[in-house]
C-alpha cells in the first residue's frame, strides 16, 4: 500500500543516517554460519576481500588453540566456535523480531554524557591506563574475543551511573519498540575496554539478552572500528559510533560482531540488555515471568561471552 511504501522509505532514510550497507551477507567478513577452514566454497569472501579474511580467521582460531591446547576436532576452541556458528544459524529464525531492520543508532542525553565523561576522566587519570585496569575473565577457550592475544580490561560503573543508564536506555527501548508494554532488566555490563588487535567474533546473544544497547564511553583509535550487524534483511551493515552514541539492536536475532582487528589503543563500551514484555503475555497465566530475569546491577554477570 501507499502507506507501507512511505513507512519503508522513512525507515530506509533513518537507516542511511545510521549505518553503511554492504552488498554481502553472512560468511564473508568472518565465519558466521559456516567455517572458512575446510570449506570448498570461499568465493563470496574471496570476491570481496581476497584471501585476507580466511588468513585472519585461521590466525584467530590457531591463537586460541595455541593458548588452550588440542588439535582440530579435539580442540575446545574448535568446539566452542562451532557452537557460536550453530547459534548464528539456528537461533535467529526461531525468534520474534520487534523492528523492521533490527538496529538503530542514537545518542545519550547531554546530562548523561556529562556524568559519564566526569567519571571516565577519573579512570583515565590512573597511571598506565588502560593497562592498569583489571583484566576481564573469560571462560576457557571462549572464542568471542581473542583474549588469548591481549587481555580485555574491565572497570565497573558506580551505582549512580548504572541507574542513569538503566533508566535512559529503557526509555529509548520504549520509543524504539512501542509494542512492548515493559522491559525487564537482564544485564548491565562494563565498562569493557577492548585493546589494539581485538576482534569480536560475530554472534547472537542468548535469552534473556534480547533488546540491547551498546554505549560507547571513549575510544582512542587510528581508524573507525565498526560494529558489523546482519540486519533482518540478511545484509551486512557497518555501524560506527562516537563517545556518547548508542547502538540499539535486537541482540537475540541480529548477528553482531567486530570482525576486523581494532587499530588504536582502546575502545571502551557499556552493554545494557533488557527482555521485553507484552500485554498479551502478561495477561496469560502460562506466560514467562520476565521479572525473574537476572539483573546484573550487582556486578555479577555470567554473560560476558554474549556481548
Amino acid at each position: 500500500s501507499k502507506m507501507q511504501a512511505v513507512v519503508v522509505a522513512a525507515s530506509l532514510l533513518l537507516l542511511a543516517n545510521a549505518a553503511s550497507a554492504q552488498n554481502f551477507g553472512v560468511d564473508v567478513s568472518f565465519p558466521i554460519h559456516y567455517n572458512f577452514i575446510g570449506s570448498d566454497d570461499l568465493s563470496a569472501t574471496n570476491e570481496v576481500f581476497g584471501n585476507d579474511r580466511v588468513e585472519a580467521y585461521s590466525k584467530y582460531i590457531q591463537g586460541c588453540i595455541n593458548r588452550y591446547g588440542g588439535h582440530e576436532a579435539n580442540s575446545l576452541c574448535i568446539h566452542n566456535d562451532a557452537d557460536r556458528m550453530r547459534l548464528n544459524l539456528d537461533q535467529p529464525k526461531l525468534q520474534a523480531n520487534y523492528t523492521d531492520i533490527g538496529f538503530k543508532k542514537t545518542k545519550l542525553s547531554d546530562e548523561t554524557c556529562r556524568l559519564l565523561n566526569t567519571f571516565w576522566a577519573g579512570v583515565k587519570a590512573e597511571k598506565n591506563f588502560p593497562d592498569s585496569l583489571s583484566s576481564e575473565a573469560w571462560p576457557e577457550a571462549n572464542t568471542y574475543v581473542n583474549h588469548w592475544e591481549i587481555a580485555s580490561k574491565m572497570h565497573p560503573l558506580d551505582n549512580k551511573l548504572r541507574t542513569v543508564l538503566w533508566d535512559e536506555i529503557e526509555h529509548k527501548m520504549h520509543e524504539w519498540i512501542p509494542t512492548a508494554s515493559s522491559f525487564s532488566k537482564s544485564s548491565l555490563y562494563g565498562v569493557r575496554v577492548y585493546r589494539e588487535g581485538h576482534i569480536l567474533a560475530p554472534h547472537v546473544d542468548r535469552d534473556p539478552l534480547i533488546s540491547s544497547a551498546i554505549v560507547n564511553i571513549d575510544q582512542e583509535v587510528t581508524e573507525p572500528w565498526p560494529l558489523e550487524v546482519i540486519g533482518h534483511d540478511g545484509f551486512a551493515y557497518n555501524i560506527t559510533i562516537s563517545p556518547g552514541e548508542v547502538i540499539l539492536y535486537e541482540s537475540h536475532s541480529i548477528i553482531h560482531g567486530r570482525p576486523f582487528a581494532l587499530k588504536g589503543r582502546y575502545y571502551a563500551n557499556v552493554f545494557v540488555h533488557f527482555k521485553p514484555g507484552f500485554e498479551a503475555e502478561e495477561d496469560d497465566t502460562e506466560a514467562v515471568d520476565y521479572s525473574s530475569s537476572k539483573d546484573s546491577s550487582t556486578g555479577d554477570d555470567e554473560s560476558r561471552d554474549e556481548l
Side-chain angles (χ1 to χ4, degrees):
S1 69
K2 183 176 180 180
M3 179 58 70
Q4 288 175 321
V6 170
V7 171
V8 170
S11 297
L12 290 175
L13 179 60
L14 289 172
L15 183 60
N17 291 329
S20 173
Q22 310 298 304
N23 62 349
F24 57 80
V26 299
D27 297 324
V28 176
S29 63
F30 207 82
I32 293 177
H33 286 168
Y34 300 104
N35 206 325
F36 287 169
I37 299 173
S39 173
D40 57 4
D41 183 9
L42 295 170
S43 58
T45 188
N46 287 337
E47 181 179 346
V48 178
F49 296 111
N51 195 48
D52 174 72
R53 301 314 299 157
V54 177
E55 292 179 352
Y57 177 72
S58 297
K59 178 183 177 183
Y60 183 91
I61 201 67
Q62 188 60 50
C64 182
I65 294 171
N66 291 345
R67 168 64 177 81
Y68 290 104
H71 178 69
E72 297 181 353
N74 295 323
S75 169
L76 185 57
C77 296
I78 296 294
H79 171 80
N80 287 345
D81 212 44
D83 188 56
R84 172 186 67 84
M85 289 181 265
R86 179 188 58 78
L87 282 174
N88 288 342
L89 180 63
D90 294 341
Q91 181 170 295
K93 57 192 175 187
L94 301 176
Q95 306 305 311
N97 297 326
Y98 307 118
T99 66
D100 288 338
I101 196 68
F103 62 90
K104 177 184 178 181
K105 180 176 173 179
T106 183
K107 61 189 298 186
L108 296 174
S109 67
D110 290 343
E111 176 60 15
T112 299
C113 285
R114 185 188 67 79
L115 292 172
L116 282 171
N117 289 340
T118 299
F119 167 82
W120 194 244
V123 176
K124 289 176 66 175
E126 296 180 11
K127 186 178 180 181
N128 297 324
F129 171 89
D131 293 340
S132 57
L133 302 180
S134 298
S135 293
E136 184 174 13
W138 287 89
E140 182 181 6
N142 180 283
T143 60
Y144 281 72
V145 171
N146 51 336
H147 60 276
W148 50 83
E149 292 187 11
I150 184 170
S152 53
K153 296 291 187 174
M154 288 291 299
H155 190 85
L157 293 174
D158 61 36
N159 288 335
K160 178 181 179 180
L161 279 174
R162 293 180 70 86
T163 299
V164 167
L165 282 178
W166 274 128
D167 292 346
E168 181 161 341
I169 298 301
E170 182 177 359
H171 178 73
K172 292 183 182 298
M173 287 296 177
H174 276 289
E175 291 182 333
W176 188 43
I177 309 176
T179 53
S181 55
S182 64
F183 287 90
S184 58
K185 298 173 181 177
S186 299
S187 169
L188 194 157
Y189 191 68
V191 181
R192 170 190 279 164
V193 180
Y194 299 97
R195 302 162 77 194
E196 184 159 22
H198 271 147
I199 290 172
L200 176 66
H203 63 282
V204 288
D205 294 351
R206 295 184 178 92
D207 188 13
L209 311 186
I210 306 294
S211 303
S212 303
I214 300 171
V215 181
N216 185 237
I217 304 300
D218 189 22
Q219 56 183 273
E220 187 176 313
V221 296
T222 56
E223 63 180 51
W225 196 43
L227 182 77
E228 181 185 280
V229 301
I230 306 296
H232 291 325
D233 59 1
F235 288 100
Y237 295 84
N238 286 336
I239 313 173
T240 301
I241 54 175
S242 301
E245 293 185 321
V246 179
I247 300 171
L248 306 178
Y249 62 117
E250 297 184 66
S251 59
H252 68 311
S253 62
I254 288 293
I255 299 168
H256 54 282
R258 300 180 189 269
F260 294 88
L262 170 62
K263 295 184 178 180
R265 287 187 65 221
Y266 63 86
Y267 195 99
N269 287 338
V270 170
F271 304 88
V272 188
H273 302 276
F274 294 91
K275 184 165 186 173
F278 298 87
E279 287 183 357
E281 295 171 342
E282 292 167 354
D283 292 340
D284 186 349
T285 57
E286 299 299 320
V288 175
D289 179 6
Y290 291 155
S291 65
S292 65
S293 297
K294 184 172 182 179
D295 174 0
S296 69
S297 59
T298 61
D300 179 18
D301 184 275
E302 296 177 351
S303 303
R304 61 181 61 87
D305 60 328
E306 307 299 327
L307 303 172

